[in-house]
Amino acid sequence: MKKSILLFFALTLFASAGFSQSKKITIDSEAAKASYGDKISISPMDKSVSVKNNVITISPKREEVVYTISGYFNGQIIVKTKNTELKLKNAYIENTKGQPAIYSEVKFELSSSQGTSNYILSSGKNDSKIGAIYCKKDLNIGGSGNLYVTGNVYHAVKADDIKMKGSGNYYFKGTSKGSSINCRSFIVESEKSFSCYLLDSKNGIKADNSIEISSGNFYFYNNKVALKTDTSQDDSSVPHFIKLNGGTIYLSSVEKVYSTEEKGYKLAGTKIIQE
């Protein structure tokens, strides 16, 4: 894992040296790929895991089963059972057919193990506004390792309600038309210590309804809008708001800090540093 570890340290140095260095933050997934081999390992590997061609389906009979995933896979992982956790431990999952690398129609959790670097990518042609991680319900993202998500089709992550937690380093790169994170609502509770990088996308975090941040470190780089709620998606009875109650937000090469409905932006306790 030498290449991916060196890449992580380089990114960390750029971020910690001052946000003026954020221009050097990139996700060089191709440089890391050779470190992950050519096979995927899933534990437990029992009847709840089925493999057909380039699709792995995970469907335990009960909720809250944790699957540890390591190694390399080109295809799609589908989660079928609510509250399943995918725990990445030096995993490289990509889909080069224009489809999500990880897909679910139920709530699930994605975490990265401490001391590991994990990559999720999607590339290829698709007219749909998908994400490299695409969940049609709620998604929790956590762990204490390093997670790099690149959505070269449209978004990096697309889900319903997204909750961020943990103490890891999370990097999300979408496209000039999409978002690093696209969701209905985005929330970070208090006392979370992760660092989240939103890179090279039209929007850093775009939520149809609301964004609430009470802790964590957020680095926005090369976004047209850092924080956006989409007031055009719902009728006027649906509240749209951005609440920043804690944590730190760093901005570099960002055209606009936020976009939401009138009086929907509340800054109280979050430190914002703009280059």
Side-chain angles (χ1 to χ4, degrees):
M1 309 307 298
K2 291 181 179 179
K3 290 184 179 179
S4 59
I5 291 172
L6 287 172
L7 175 61
F8 164 67
F9 282 135
L11 289 168
T12 302
L13 285 172
F14 294 148
S16 62
F19 199 57
S20 62
Q21 298 294 321
S22 65
K23 294 177 182 178
K24 297 180 181 179
I25 296 176
T26 59
I27 302 177
D28 194 347
S29 54
E30 289 303 311
K33 187 185 293 188
S35 301
Y36 291 79
D38 58 3
K39 294 181 180 179
I40 189 170
S41 172
I42 300 177
S43 178
M45 188 67 180
D46 53 24
K47 292 182 179 179
S48 66
V49 180
S50 66
V51 182
K52 186 176 182 180
N53 298 324
N54 65 331
V55 176
I56 296 173
T57 303
I58 298 177
S59 53
K61 292 183 178 180
R62 58 183 178 87
E63 296 182 15
E64 300 183 353
V65 177
V66 180
Y67 292 85
T68 301
I69 301 176
S70 303
Y72 175 80
F73 180 67
N74 188 343
Q76 185 174 80
I77 296 178
I78 299 176
V79 179
K80 288 280 192 177
T81 303
K82 182 180 178 182
N83 293 325
T84 295
E85 179 180 348
L86 303 184
K87 187 175 184 179
L88 305 181
K89 190 175 182 180
N90 289 325
Y92 193 114
I93 304 164
E94 68 173 333
N95 191 313
T96 56
K97 302 295 185 181
Q99 297 296 321
I102 298 179
Y103 175 78
S104 179
E105 295 185 358
V106 297
K107 177 183 177 180
F108 80 100
E109 179 166 337
L110 183 71
S111 66
S112 53
S113 299
Q114 184 176 5
T116 69
S117 293
N118 306 280
Y119 292 82
I120 300 173
L121 302 90
S122 64
S123 59
K125 295 183 179 180
N126 190 328
D127 293 332
S128 300
K129 298 177 180 181
I130 66 164
I133 302 171
Y134 187 15
C135 179
K136 291 192 173 182
K137 295 293 184 180
D138 301 347
L139 172 64
N140 292 344
I141 299 175
S144 56
N146 310 307
L147 176 65
Y148 305 90
V149 183
T150 302
N152 287 329
V153 179
Y154 207 83
H155 305 301
V157 180
K158 181 175 176 60
D160 199 344
D161 296 337
I162 293 179
K163 180 183 289 187
M164 297 279 296
K165 55 184 184 178
S167 59
N169 299 281
Y170 315 132
Y171 298 79
F172 303 103
K173 179 183 181 296
T175 65
S176 60
K177 294 183 179 180
S179 303
S180 298
I181 293 178
N182 181 277
C183 55
R184 183 179 67 180
S185 70
F186 180 89
I187 186 168
V188 180
E189 298 170 343
S190 61
E191 300 182 356
K192 309 302 178 186
S193 59
F194 62 80
S195 292
C196 180
Y197 298 79
L198 296 310
L199 310 172
D200 301 317
S201 306
K202 181 179 180 181
N203 305 295
I205 300 173
K206 179 183 177 183
D208 288 346
N209 293 354
S210 60
I211 298 171
E212 298 182 73
I213 295 175
S214 296
S215 64
N217 300 294
F218 288 84
Y219 298 81
F220 292 87
Y221 171 66
N222 194 24
N223 307 126
K224 186 174 182 180
V225 182
L227 303 165
K228 182 177 183 179
T229 62
D230 195 346
T231 58
S232 67
Q233 295 298 311
D234 304 290
D235 59 50
S236 58
S237 65
V238 177
H240 302 85
F241 59 86
I242 298 171
K243 292 182 179 179
L244 305 179
N245 298 319
T248 304
I249 289 177
Y250 302 84
L251 303 168
S252 181
S253 299
V254 171
E255 293 183 22
K256 194 172 184 180
V257 178
Y258 70 90
S259 176
T260 187
E261 67 183 16
E262 187 177 0
K263 298 181 180 180
Y265 178 74
K266 297 181 179 180
L267 174 61
T270 298
K271 184 177 182 181
I272 296 181
I273 301 172
Q274 187 162 7
E275 185 182 54

